[in-house]
Amino acid sequence: MNNPTTYTSKVETSSPLGGLTIYSLRTGVDNVVAFCGSLLGGGLFASDNILVPEMTASLLDLGTKQRDKFEIASALESVGAKLGFSSGRHRVHFSGKCLKKDIPLVIQLLAEQLIFPAFEEQDLNSTIQRRKAELKQLKEDTRTRAVEAFLLRLYPEKHPNRPKSLSDQQKATNTISVNQLKKFHSDHYGLGSLNICFVGDVDHENFENHTANHFGQWQNSSASIKESTLKAKRLGKGVETSEHIPDKTSADLVTGHGIGIDKEHQDYYPVMMSHFILGGNFSARLMATVRDREGLTYGVQSTTGGVDQGNDGYWYIWGTFGPKDLEKAKESINKQLDLWYKEGVTAEELNSKKSTITGMYQVGLDTTSGLARRILTTVERGKELSFMDEYPKIITAITLDQVNKSIQTYCDPGKRITVVAGTVDESN
Amino acid sequence: MTDIPNNFIQIKESGGIVEYRHKTNGLTILLLENRSAPVVTFMVTYRVGSRNEAIGHTGATHLLEHLMFKGSEQFNKEGGTAIWNVLQDVGAMINATTWFDRTNYFELLPKEHLVRAVKIEADRMRGAFIRDEDRQSEMTVVRNEFERGENDSWEALDKNIWATAYQAHPYHHSTIGWRSDIENVPTDRLKEFYDTFYWPNNATVSVIGDFEKYATLALLDEQFGAIEKSPHEIPAMYTEEPLQEGPRRVVVRRAGEVPIVGIAHKMPAGTSDDIYAIQLMGRILGQGKMSRFYRRFIDTGVAADVSVWSHPLHDNGLFITYLFIAGKETCEEVEKGILEEYNTILQKGVSNEELERAKSQISAETAFTRDGTYSVASNLNEAIALGDWTFYTTFLEKIQNVTKEDIQNTAQTYLMEDQSTTGFFIPNAND
């Protein structure tokens, strides 16, 4: 097997400005550069209105103090370049793709949009109008509603893993103003936590020069992540609830509970592996039984979530089921969960999934965008780039004893929160 | 190995992709070497899709695709060699998809495991079990896939638009099929479907990525070479859609939150010379912030989203605009606005600036499609489906030759009211 280590060790890194780090990796693709990056200023930095961080990011590509949104769009679209922004929990993200020759233009526009957004009133109004429609659509999305209800029950107010409810977001659309966006941008955006990764047909020195030139006048930001001391609710016994949405032919089920640790905890990878064996892919236990053997679902999986930046995360099983099969599916999932909990996993399963995960790592090298995201998530996590080389070794080193102990320590099937979302009132 | 194995002949080369044909069984091979990463994508495309189905067995192609994972002579659960396990054990991304004109099975995997994918695909080409007990358990899986799709307002409208636009041609029904057909199609019918279409002379194998050409051809000969060509001619789908003689309308009402408008017009087959002007027209109308629809509907807050769908198909497909209403406008008002934009192109054509911008977008995106072996395979798959794999490699050149006049002429030919099907999704008031 080719060693991916030799690939990722080719990443070049430099800091052309204080608070800006750039990473680049040359791959075999010709003429194409994929890029992505981020800075602090995501949803958790909201203060007076929960939608301000998201709207701030949404308006970044709708004009700057130098040119209107159509001049920017024309400049990018005329060369076929892609550049988009989004708001995450901690960070504002951007990503795109362009031809090698267009990198100077793209970096210039990226800097201009991040540093000098126009925040026009009419653009905010039309964006809010669209967001209202999107929120309405999400209210009838069975998966969104199941996950939302699960996390709202699991996490207390102000916990980083507690989502903004769709209803609260709808209310917030009525009170948001341009001045709030301008203040948020001024308070949080700036150099300090800015990382940009370029992968493909790259020239690192070229990136250094252009980023230093265009980001040089930006202010520093003191934004930092404040780790929360709040913890997930611990239940004495399991609870089950439903979210009724009319006229839905398939229901979504989410079931799980908190694990109390984050990704950096020494037990995290055994926990992750235990859930990969239970429901990480098609050949895992849940798909092999609930779908492949019993035909009760199109998809069912088990995984962990909310484990970033010191947060106590959770595990959950998610699946979709027709009304006729819902009760049978719950029984089948419970049976697999009990078996996994009481008897643990086998050495054969562990070895198989180790091979799967390390192989997936190699397959992830297939695209420049995938590689760029891998570099970015590594540095966002505060890891050295060498972590990318170490990851397959970490997976390979997990022992059977660690996995089976982690199941007993971090999972209790009797204390789950279970949510079913769909047209469930009549059928249950 | 330093030369083409004797059992293959080279047919042609385009855009770096070389086509070979197996001399005895007619299997088509497409090879593209790309050593950007130590991975390879292996894909078998069968030239059969839901256009080859009829009443009573709609969705059969797709259900059969599911059964193809249930086991074959050498790869099966009973022998501890289930397909998913053998491939996922080495980290492979594996799946299959079915659409109107084709069914494809693919594996993106570390290059040293290519042989696993080749052996599995060769084995299940003629050795799949297609057992009744497997159909019974998989039918409910597919039914849940259908149910998940029906949860979506847009998908419900889209199915209705296609079903209204086509009366005779099998594009009338969606690839997932009608629910009662999914539930009741007999296993024998699926087996008959398999025995009719799953043969080397109705398949194209694509290998893209880090591999050695001649050694791979030898491997393909070793694994696929012994499979005989079909003992019958692969049956042609001969149903043509009669000329549409007036506009059609359809309304879908159910619980929901956001009204949707869809306006579809018949367009030519994917191999038509007009298809390139249609692609550019679709971009000028609906792609990016400079597009006409963005300025009219998104920038003003009328629409949450608007898109133009004009995917080239084997037979006459549809050119469809979909708009999700965000504001207070009615479906009728939005419909009028979309048609006004069509009419402007019919009357005045497009500008030089619009045309050049759309060409530049396609030029860059064509380069982007070469980023990643799976991306190339996916694009190649759709070109195979419409009947000419070089559609993928020659697309950009053909696009560059389109003129403003071509676009206006094309609009005048295809965006005719009599050829239209308009659909509204109207949400019922919630309980």
Side-chain angles (χ1 to χ4, degrees):
Chain A
M1 167 171 161
N2 271 36
N3 188 349
T5 301
T6 59
Y7 214 81
T8 53
S9 62
K10 291 176 185 166
V11 177
E12 287 191 71
T13 307
S14 61
S15 293
L17 297 165
L20 164 63
T21 310
I22 63 170
Y23 305 84
S24 71
L25 174 62
R26 178 79 177 96
T27 67
V29 68
D30 289 327
N31 208 23
V32 173
V33 178
F35 58 91
C36 63
S38 70
L39 68 158
L40 291 175
L44 292 176
F45 289 83
S47 53
D48 49 348
N49 182 310
I50 57 172
L51 278 185
V52 165
E54 179 193 322
M55 286 295 130
T56 303
S58 293
L59 264 70
L60 289 175
D61 67 353
L62 294 180
T64 67
K65 288 170 183 161
Q66 288 91 338
R67 25 187 160 187
D68 72 24
K69 61 192 167 217
F70 294 118
E71 287 176 277
I72 291 172
S74 178
L76 289 169
E77 291 177 19
S78 296
V79 294
K82 312 260 185 207
L83 170 59
F85 300 89
S86 63
S87 175
R89 287 197 311 161
H90 294 97
R91 294 175 171 273
V92 182
H93 286 96
F94 51 87
S95 62
K97 221 171 209 185
C98 65
L99 300 180
K100 183 180 183 180
K101 71 178 175 55
D102 299 317
I103 272 290
L105 170 74
V106 170
I107 291 176
Q108 181 188 4
L109 290 173
L110 170 66
E112 194 177 311
Q113 290 176 299
L114 281 171
I115 302 171
F116 305 111
F119 294 131
E120 298 287 351
E121 183 96 38
Q122 69 176 65
D123 290 326
L124 177 60
N125 291 339
S126 65
T127 304
I128 287 172
Q129 186 87 335
R130 290 198 300 277
R131 187 62 183 142
K132 283 180 175 176
E134 287 161 6
L135 288 167
K136 281 185 183 177
Q137 286 178 292
L138 289 173
K139 286 208 96 158
E140 61 163 319
D141 183 82
T142 49
R143 182 174 187 177
T144 301
R145 290 282 297 278
V147 172
E148 178 194 48
F150 171 74
L151 293 176
L152 287 174
R153 277 192 166 260
L154 180 57
Y155 288 103
E157 292 285 348
K158 298 189 188 312
H159 191 290
N161 284 344
R162 185 180 173 88
K164 303 177 201 83
S165 75
L166 296 173
S167 302
D168 286 347
Q169 290 186 65
Q170 283 178 319
K171 282 181 207 152
T173 57
N174 298 320
T175 58
I176 199 163
S177 71
V178 158
N179 284 339
Q180 287 174 308
L181 306 194
K182 287 179 178 172
K183 182 169 187 317
F184 186 82
H185 179 266
S186 167
D187 288 349
H188 299 293
Y189 280 41
L191 296 176
S193 59
L194 179 58
N195 296 305
I196 312 177
C197 309
F198 301 92
V199 176
D201 196 350
V202 301
D203 175 349
H204 192 82
E205 194 179 332
N206 195 27
F207 299 147
E208 277 184 331
N209 294 336
H210 287 293
T211 51
N213 186 23
H214 293 294
F215 284 96
Q217 52 193 310
W218 206 7
Q219 65 184 9
N220 279 306
S221 166
S222 57
S224 62
I225 295 174
K226 295 180 184 65
E227 290 200 0
S228 172
T229 55
L230 293 169
K231 295 293 175 192
K233 296 174 191 169
R234 291 197 173 272
L235 304 181
K237 59 177 184 174
V239 294
E240 180 164 346
T241 183
S242 65
E243 297 286 311
H244 178 69
I245 310 168
D247 283 2
K248 295 299 177 191
T249 46
S250 181
D252 282 54
L253 177 145
V254 171
T255 184
H257 63 61
I259 55 173
I261 59 171
D262 76 341
K263 216 179 227 179
E264 309 310 327
H265 191 280
Q266 60 184 4
D267 292 343
Y268 174 70
Y269 287 108
V271 172
M272 183 209 78
M273 180 61 86
S274 73
H275 285 280
F276 200 89
I277 292 168
L278 177 63
N281 63 4
F282 200 98
S283 50
R285 290 188 182 190
L286 287 172
M287 282 291 269
T289 54
V290 185
R291 171 174 156 154
D292 196 42
R293 191 170 70 203
E294 298 162 21
L296 296 172
T297 178
Y298 181 69
V300 59
Q301 64 182 55
S302 182
T303 188
T304 57
V307 289
D308 297 320
Q309 307 291 349
N311 297 323
D312 59 325
Y314 51 92
W315 71 269
Y316 70 111
I317 292 170
W318 164 75
T320 66
F321 308 95
K324 283 182 186 173
D325 295 323
L326 183 58
E327 289 309 314
K328 266 196 256 175
K330 280 186 196 168
E331 282 174 30
S332 179
I333 288 170
N334 288 341
K335 187 176 163 190
Q336 291 305 317
L337 195 54
D338 284 345
L339 194 66
W340 173 83
Y341 180 68
K342 287 175 182 160
E343 298 183 14
V345 304
T346 66
E348 187 184 0
E349 286 176 311
L350 177 60
N351 289 335
S352 162
K353 295 308 179 203
K354 282 181 182 178
S355 173
T356 298
I357 293 173
T358 50
M360 284 165 66
Y361 190 82
Q362 187 173 342
V363 165
L365 301 173
D366 189 45
T367 67
T368 54
S369 302
L371 276 165
R373 276 197 304 277
R374 183 180 294 181
I375 295 168
L376 184 64
T377 53
T378 301
V379 297
E380 282 180 350
R381 196 176 156 183
K383 297 285 189 189
E384 297 294 326
L385 288 172
S386 57
F387 177 77
M388 295 191 291
D389 304 333
E390 291 161 13
Y391 182 74
K393 296 173 197 161
I394 292 170
I395 296 300
T396 306
I398 297 172
T399 67
L400 185 64
D401 188 49
Q402 286 173 327
V403 174
N404 284 332
K405 274 187 181 159
S406 81
I407 294 173
Q408 296 302 314
T409 308
Y410 297 101
C411 183
D412 186 344
K415 295 182 179 175
R416 282 175 289 149
I417 296 168
T418 301
V419 181
V420 176
T423 309
V424 289
D425 286 1
E426 298 87 343
S427 59
N428 286 356
Chain B
M1 188 164 291
T2 56
D3 206 356
I4 302 173
N6 287 336
N7 282 333
F8 287 102
I9 50 168
Q10 183 172 330
I11 304 296
K12 59 177 177 274
E13 179 172 0
S14 176
I17 299 172
V18 187
E19 176 183 357
Y20 302 89
R21 180 86 25 82
H22 196 275
K23 289 176 184 171
T24 53
N25 66 21
L27 180 69
T28 300
I29 311 285
L30 300 176
L31 300 184
L32 176 64
E33 291 171 86
N34 171 357
R35 295 194 164 76
S36 299
V39 298
V40 62
T41 293
F42 184 76
M43 176 173 73
V44 180
T45 305
Y46 291 95
R47 295 183 284 277
V48 57
S50 55
R51 77 187 276 278
N52 301 93
E53 299 164 352
I55 291 169
H57 56 92
T58 65
T61 322
H62 173 249
L63 185 50
L64 176 60
E65 173 226 294
H66 276 243
L67 291 188
M68 294 290 286
F69 288 88
K70 289 289 196 176
S72 55
E73 288 166 5
Q74 292 180 49
F75 296 93
N76 50 66
K77 268 188 286 192
E78 296 79 2
T81 53
I83 291 169
W84 288 99
N85 294 53
V86 169
L87 290 167
Q88 290 195 326
D89 276 1
V90 295
M93 182 179 96
I94 161 181
N95 215 328
T97 72
T98 308
W99 203 19
F100 290 132
D101 304 318
R102 51 63 181 174
T103 310
N104 69 315
Y105 300 81
F106 62 87
E107 295 85 15
L108 164 59
L109 71 177
K111 66 173 187 173
E112 60 272 22
H113 298 299
L114 171 62
V115 65
R116 290 187 186 217
V118 176
K119 282 184 173 178
I120 284 171
E121 296 305 345
D123 192 49
R124 65 178 166 178
M125 178 175 274
R126 292 301 319 142
F129 290 150
I130 326 282
R131 296 175 292 210
D132 189 56
E133 61 266 34
D134 290 331
R135 184 199 61 80
Q136 289 180 34
S137 64
E138 202 61 20
M139 179 278 283
T140 47
V141 170
V142 173
R143 187 172 64 194
N144 185 232
E145 188 179 0
F146 172 87
E147 290 163 339
R148 280 162 55 131
E150 284 291 304
N151 267 11
D152 186 296
S153 311
W154 171 82
E155 191 164 323
L157 177 63
D158 187 60
K159 282 180 187 170
N160 272 276
I161 286 177
W162 284 84
T164 307
Y166 293 91
Q167 296 179 332
H169 191 282
Y171 289 165
H172 170 84
H173 65 270
S174 69
T175 299
I176 193 98
W178 302 117
R179 184 185 184 111
S180 50
D181 288 356
I182 295 167
E183 290 176 333
N184 295 302
V185 65
T187 306
D188 285 349
R189 188 67 191 81
L190 300 180
K191 188 83 170 71
E192 185 186 329
F193 213 76
Y194 177 69
D195 288 338
T196 303
F197 293 105
Y198 279 63
W199 294 93
N201 47 312
N202 195 38
T204 301
V205 163
S206 305
V207 192
I208 297 125
D210 190 356
F211 62 89
E212 200 286 310
K213 180 168 62 177
Y214 299 122
T216 299
L217 282 171
L219 173 66
L220 294 173
D221 187 29
E222 177 189 300
Q223 295 299 322
F224 286 92
I227 304 172
E228 292 182 359
K229 68 181 293 189
S230 64
H232 53 266
E233 288 294 314
I234 303 298
M237 200 294 290
Y238 47 75
T239 305
E240 293 179 11
E241 180 66 16
L243 180 66
Q244 186 173 334
E245 295 174 309
R248 298 174 187 165
R249 304 189 77 83
V250 61
V251 174
V252 179
R253 289 182 204 275
R254 64 163 73 164
E257 297 285 346
V258 174
I260 309 168
V261 173
I263 302 178
H265 287 79
K266 297 267 172 54
M267 65 176 202
T271 47
S272 161
D273 288 341
D274 289 343
I275 213 74
Y276 305 96
I278 288 175
Q279 299 306 305
L280 286 161
M281 181 170 69
R283 278 177 179 271
I284 289 166
L285 281 167
Q287 184 87 23
K289 289 189 176 63
M290 297 303 290
S291 69
R292 295 185 181 202
F293 286 159
Y294 182 93
R295 286 168 173 264
R296 178 159 185 159
F297 299 118
I298 300 283
D299 191 43
T300 54
V302 170
D305 191 22
V306 61
S307 59
V308 174
W309 191 95
S310 59
H311 195 98
L313 298 174
H314 187 280
D315 304 324
N316 304 55
L318 292 177
F319 180 93
I320 319 178
T321 293
Y322 280 109
L323 187 147
F324 293 70
I325 298 177
K328 293 186 170 59
E329 289 73 12
T330 63
C331 288
E332 288 80 5
E333 287 167 337
V334 165
E335 177 192 2
K336 184 166 171 280
I338 294 169
L339 294 177
E340 281 173 2
E341 292 300 331
Y342 284 1
N343 203 41
T344 305
I345 292 185
L346 286 165
Q347 301 299 323
K348 299 177 182 170
V350 300
S351 70
N352 283 327
E353 190 186 353
E354 286 177 314
L355 179 59
E356 291 312 310
R357 187 165 50 239
K359 286 182 177 178
S360 295
Q361 286 176 338
I362 290 176
S363 177
E365 284 172 17
T366 303
F368 299 162
T369 68
R370 292 278 178 151
D371 178 14
T373 61
Y374 174 71
S375 172
V376 173
S378 181
N379 283 278
L380 202 47
N381 187 46
E382 302 309 337
I384 294 165
L386 67 79
D388 178 8
W389 68 264
T390 66
F391 180 87
Y392 170 56
T393 51
T394 60
F395 183 68
L396 182 57
E397 182 189 336
K398 302 272 182 65
I399 283 287
Q400 297 296 1
N401 292 332
V402 174
T403 66
K404 285 194 305 177
E405 292 71 28
D406 292 334
I407 293 178
Q408 190 170 8
N409 291 340
T410 300
Q412 289 168 352
T413 305
Y414 298 103
L415 297 183
M416 303 306 295
E417 187 188 12
D418 281 354
Q419 296 302 301
S420 71
T421 302
T422 301
F424 293 168
F425 174 80
I426 300 178
N428 285 333
N430 277 345
D431 300 338

